[in-house]
Amino acid sequence: MVQELARGISAHGRSRSYKRRGIHFLKKKNNGEFPKHEKKQKTEEAPSKAPKFYPADDVKKPLKRKAVKKPTKLRASIQPGTVLILLAGRFKGKRCVFLRQQESGLLLVTGPFKVNGVPLKRVNQAYVIATSTLIDISKVDVSKFDDTYFKSTEKVEKKKSEDGFFNAQADEKKKELSPEYVENQKKVDAALLTALKPELKGYLSARFSLKKNDRPHLMAF
């Protein structure tokens, strides 16, 4: 180890240090020049530290999410033809017939409409009670009633101005269903009605309700 006279000052001079390090051998191998190495291009990396400057207004940044969509598992008590009781929504308390499960996981059901007024619609299986009543729906064709069929009928709400808000009631008109939608409902009803006996029609048309002394947890649906 080379002795230091002071911090950073070696006891050997420049020429002796040059000879000791063997730099003249490196120059001799490379025609009297120091070897040159190409600099590696640094890849731009995202800054890990938070910036010191923040904008005056809040800027929303999208969060990274790794969402994995898994198919919704159908309850064991629900199968095609099962009579369900709706627990929420406009038709709360009414019974309907389960036709099939959609790709989105929702259940495709109908009243039928001619019996209790429940049209072809999609419901979440968390808001239904499955009964033990089963109906034969082998004659019902539901191949074309996918999720896109119902999305086309959904209402798209637009932002209204102040004047439009007060004049909304005057401008609003009753929305009419397309003839194709009505015709499809009639075909499904006709196929279902052939499998319904008079007792089943009365059962589907009756609304489900609980009385004062009823105990839902002890009931067998």
Side-chain angles (χ1 to χ4, degrees):
M1 186 175 178
V2 181
Q3 185 181 0
E4 289 187 354
L5 300 177
R7 188 175 182 182
I9 301 174
S10 174
H12 296 166
R14 182 185 295 179
S15 60
R16 191 169 180 181
S17 298
Y18 182 88
K19 187 177 181 180
R20 179 178 52 81
R21 292 169 62 189
I23 296 176
H24 55 287
F25 290 113
L26 291 175
K27 284 188 174 182
K28 191 175 182 181
K29 289 181 180 179
N30 294 278
N31 300 324
E33 295 181 357
F34 283 109
K36 294 181 180 179
H37 303 283
E38 294 183 0
K39 293 183 180 180
K40 295 182 180 180
Q41 294 181 354
K42 294 183 180 179
T43 56
E44 294 183 359
E45 298 179 356
S48 57
K49 296 183 179 180
K52 294 183 179 179
F53 171 77
Y54 291 93
D57 300 328
D58 293 335
V59 180
K60 294 183 179 180
K61 294 182 179 180
L63 300 176
K64 293 182 179 179
R65 296 181 181 177
K66 294 182 180 179
V68 179
K69 293 185 179 180
K70 297 181 180 179
T72 306
K73 187 178 180 181
L74 188 64
R75 274 156 48 186
S77 58
I78 302 176
Q79 54 181 316
T82 303
V83 176
L84 306 176
I85 301 173
L86 301 177
L87 300 178
R90 179 183 173 188
F91 303 100
K92 179 171 59 176
K94 289 197 174 184
R95 294 177 171 88
C96 59
V97 182
F98 169 65
L99 301 177
R100 74 167 185 184
Q101 187 180 24
Q102 306 287 72
E103 291 182 2
S104 60
L106 300 176
L107 309 182
L108 178 64
V109 300
T110 186
F113 181 78
K114 196 171 183 179
V115 175
N116 56 16
V118 180
L120 276 166
K121 61 176 299 182
R122 300 173 300 169
V123 295
N124 193 321
Q125 63 178 339
Y127 302 104
V128 298
I129 295 176
T131 66
S132 57
T133 308
L134 198 65
I135 298 173
D136 181 19
I137 60 167
S138 57
K139 297 181 180 179
V140 183
D141 183 19
V142 293
S143 57
K144 61 181 177 181
F145 303 117
D146 52 0
D147 290 315
T148 56
Y149 175 82
F150 292 95
K151 285 182 180 179
S152 60
T153 60
E154 290 177 356
K155 183 179 179 181
V156 179
E157 296 184 358
K158 296 181 179 179
K159 291 184 178 180
K160 298 178 181 179
S161 61
E162 186 176 354
D163 297 334
F165 177 78
F166 291 105
N167 298 330
Q169 295 181 353
D171 296 339
E172 283 182 357
K173 295 181 180 179
K174 189 176 180 180
K175 186 178 179 181
E176 296 182 0
L177 295 173
S178 63
E180 181 185 1
Y181 184 84
V182 177
E183 189 64 26
N184 291 336
Q185 182 67 59
K186 288 181 179 179
K187 288 180 180 179
V188 173
D189 285 358
L192 265 178
L193 289 173
T194 57
L196 296 180
K197 296 179 181 180
E199 295 84 5
L200 278 176
K201 289 182 181 179
Y203 174 68
L204 290 172
S205 60
R207 186 183 288 270
F208 172 78
S209 60
L210 293 173
K211 296 180 181 179
K212 185 177 181 180
N213 296 323
D214 291 339
R215 299 180 180 180
H217 62 287
L218 298 178
M219 290 183 177
F221 295 95

